[in-house]
Amino acid sequence: MKGISDLLSLPDARAERMTGAADDFGHIVGSRPLGVLAAHSADAIRELVAFAGPRGLPVSARGGGHALYGQGQAHGGYVVDTGRLNEVRCEPGDRTLSAGAGATWSDVVGTALAEGLAPPVIPDHLGTSLGGVLSTGGFGATSHRHGLVADWVRELDVVTGAGELLTCSRQRHPDLFDAVLAGLGQCALIVRATLQLLPAPAHVRRFRLYHAAPESYLTDQRWLCRDGRFSHVCGQVRPSVGGTWTCMIEAVAPHTPELPVDDDLLIGNLGHDRDTVEIEDLSYEEYLHRPDRDERLLRATGEWQRPHPWLSLLLPEDAAASFVPAVLADPDQQGLRTCGVVQLRPLTGRTLRAPLLRRPPDERLCLLTLMRTAPPTDPAAVRRLVSANRTVYERARAVGGVLHPVSALPMTPSDWHGHFGPAWQDLAHAKDRHDPYRILTRGYGLWP
Ligand SMILES: Cc1cc2nc3c(=O)[nH]c(=O)nc-3n(C[C@H](O)[C@H](O)[C@H](O)COP(=O)(O)OP(=O)(O)OC[C@H]3O[C@@H](n4cnc5c(N)ncnc54)[C@H](O)[C@@H]3O)c2cc1C
């Protein structure tokens, strides 16, 4: 075997990669690793992990770098940058797509759409990596119908913490497969994934429907989930005049000149404000790239580079009607009015299949995400917002809510034990088996 230093980034690229690996989109916690592997093959990752394991040196993967609280950092160890593992191949005949873990969702979607196909669930932000999203589960605007991004994986190539390169699926090493999907990188690093695809619409009609009260918003959202009249449904709560909030459902249906949608049939019986409806026809690709404009704007204003103390929670829908207004009325959350977005995503319990994605037992669920920006020069304000996240998390737990681990929230091993509940034993067993040195993805702080 070559020396470990031969695997790591060359000096000219090293400084930049080390700086990147010491930070993430959250910009709240930061830690420089010992080195960064710009992985070009599964074997290189296997060699690094085999070196690090017996020495007890942490190893984490980094894809798009969108973690919020150091979950992909490797204090005193090595970061595997998966950016070069970005080959994407589509097999239109069997409606599958195979891609390296570092491929962005933009690459994945572009390749699939060229064949008239698309993954059934696509995350909103296409700059995230395939491996990063699968490690957290992955939600998109079709999740009310199709569950998680991870629920559509056919096969994975992974490097376990024991330094083994394995292929797993429902048939091969099923326990490892279940431990990796939404498994927070605890048992293995994903090298390649094969996804199931479905035919993609060429064009869609997008409706934006505004509600003054969360109750009528949630009633409509529930209808839309149940009767499936829209292929894509998501929502936002937006600040409105006089300190109030407006709820907006964004719903999408395939739409072509040959098969036009009937607007009245789609929205005629809903409870939104009729005067403010927005209707727009887009190509499906334009629709999928809808957040790009906001990203460009936030980069231009500098907000993209500021700290992001985000919090994401899965709530029983019955609790959301009172929980969401109470959170938004909280003085600690007033920054969301000027520097943030509140997302509400309807979910259907039975569609969420990956065993390690923890959720309330209810059938009708809401994913609430507080996406806010904090001032870059006020660390005390950032600390206050992270601590406010803890308060909201505790309140959510009291009404049956569950954390979505894509959050800026420090968690203790005991918190994680509570989070995983009945799945904890299986995860601990898989960890002992596949990551015996407990070196992988320590940034979540799952183990003492
Ligand atoms: C602007 C923005 C929009 C988002 N929109 C959505 C959305 O619509 N839907 C949704 O579900 N999520 C969304 N997220 C959350 C995001 O999908 C997750 O944070 C995801 O884990 C990011 O992956 P990444 O590769 O970009 O980040 P990274 O920071 O590189 O990785 C995130 C975590 O995944 C681990 N990881 C990365 N690659 C691998 C791998 N190959 N194998 C194992 N573990 C790995 C890292 O170690 C880290 O713990 C959004 C986040 C942001 C910041």
Side-chain angles (χ1 to χ4, degrees):
M1 183 182 132
K2 288 182 279 190
I4 200 66
S5 57
D6 295 327
L7 283 174
L8 303 178
S9 293
L10 296 172
D12 55 345
R14 194 174 291 159
E16 197 184 325
R17 284 192 198 283
M18 292 284 276
T19 308
D23 194 14
D24 53 36
F25 184 81
H27 303 303
I28 298 172
V29 297
S31 178
R32 267 173 90 82
L34 289 180
V36 178
L37 168 68
H40 50 83
S41 71
D43 271 336
I45 302 178
R46 192 186 48 70
E47 279 187 42
L48 177 72
V49 173
F51 168 84
R55 293 166 178 81
L57 297 170
V59 177
S60 291
R62 177 185 169 89
H66 291 89
L68 291 153
Y69 205 74
Q71 289 92 341
Q73 295 171 22
H75 181 71
Y78 298 100
V79 167
V80 175
D81 183 329
T82 60
R84 288 187 190 173
L85 297 173
N86 60 356
E87 192 188 278
V88 186
R89 253 182 314 110
C90 185
E91 298 291 345
D94 64 354
R95 288 190 183 167
T96 60
L97 176 145
S98 173
T104 63
W105 278 90
S106 185
D107 297 336
V108 168
V109 162
T111 307
L113 285 183
E115 302 293 346
L117 299 167
V121 188
I122 298 169
D124 297 347
H125 184 53
L126 300 182
T128 50
S129 76
L130 178 62
V133 169
L134 294 181
S135 78
T136 53
F139 292 102
T142 54
S143 284
H144 65 295
R145 277 185 170 188
H146 295 311
L148 300 171
V149 177
D151 292 330
W152 295 85
V153 173
R154 282 260 192 101
E155 189 179 85
L156 294 169
D157 287 350
V158 301
V159 171
T160 69
E164 284 185 295
L165 173 58
L166 294 173
T167 300
C168 57
S169 65
R170 294 252 159 273
Q171 291 74 35
R172 294 170 78 182
H173 306 293
D175 66 318
L176 178 61
F177 190 66
D178 281 345
V180 173
L181 295 173
L184 310 181
Q186 294 305 303
C187 294
L189 304 183
I190 301 166
V191 175
R192 186 191 62 87
T194 302
L195 305 177
Q196 176 78 56
L197 303 177
L198 293 177
H203 292 92
V204 293
R205 176 161 289 183
R206 175 171 71 184
F207 298 83
R208 285 184 165 156
L209 311 170
Y210 294 88
H211 294 251
E215 291 79 10
S216 81
Y217 167 91
L218 287 166
T219 306
D220 279 3
Q221 209 180 48
R222 185 176 314 148
W223 271 113
L224 301 185
C225 279
R226 207 180 292 164
D227 66 19
R229 70 181 93 167
F230 287 108
S231 54
H232 299 59
V233 182
C234 52
Q236 281 186 12
V237 191
R238 295 177 166 186
S240 177
V241 282
T244 58
W245 297 83
T246 303
C247 301
M248 189 265 294
I249 294 180
E250 182 173 276
V252 161
H255 172 68
T256 59
E258 303 78 47
L259 268 180
V261 299
D262 180 335
D263 291 355
D264 202 41
L265 213 59
L266 282 174
I267 62 170
N269 65 347
L270 300 178
H272 56 279
D273 173 7
R274 310 270 145 189
D275 297 334
T276 53
V277 180
E278 294 168 23
I279 302 177
E280 195 177 3
D281 292 341
L282 302 164
S283 74
Y284 190 46
E285 190 166 14
E286 282 170 330
Y287 168 72
L288 293 177
H289 281 274
R290 67 199 180 284
D292 293 5
R293 201 177 141 268
D294 289 343
E295 178 177 335
R296 280 196 298 276
L297 203 69
L298 293 172
R299 282 188 188 278
T301 60
E303 272 186 61
W304 195 259
Q305 289 80 17
R306 291 185 192 154
H308 295 109
W310 290 11
L311 179 68
S312 200
L313 299 163
L314 286 138
L315 300 169
E317 196 195 75
D318 289 342
S322 54
F323 186 85
V324 174
V327 167
L328 296 178
D330 188 332
D332 285 335
Q333 307 299 337
Q334 291 316 300
L336 284 165
R337 297 191 68 82
T338 47
C339 254
V341 175
V342 180
Q343 254 195 4
L344 270 183
R345 200 188 286 287
L347 300 171
T348 313
R350 72 177 170 302
T351 65
L352 306 169
R353 286 169 293 149
L356 288 182
L357 189 279
R358 305 314 297 160
R359 64 173 180 87
D362 311 58
E363 181 57 5
R364 296 194 315 267
L365 305 171
C366 249
L367 181 71
L368 167 69
T369 308
L370 308 177
M371 307 162 100
R372 59 181 158 220
T373 310
T377 51
D378 188 354
V382 177
R383 276 197 299 276
R384 262 198 313 278
L385 287 168
V386 171
S387 131
N389 281 350
R390 181 80 207 183
T391 311
V392 178
Y393 169 57
E394 297 295 353
R395 273 198 240 152
R397 276 169 29 116
V399 297
V402 172
L403 178 75
H404 181 38
V406 176
S407 292
L409 181 74
M411 294 272 283
T412 64
S414 151
D415 289 332
W416 284 116
H417 195 160
H419 169 84
F420 281 101
W424 179 256
Q425 283 310 322
D426 284 348
L427 178 60
H429 185 68
K431 183 80 174 169
D432 287 344
R433 179 154 176 217
H434 297 296
D435 183 19
Y437 306 108
R438 301 200 168 195
I439 57 165
L440 294 185
T441 322
R442 284 194 187 162
Y444 283 98
L446 255 79
W447 315 97

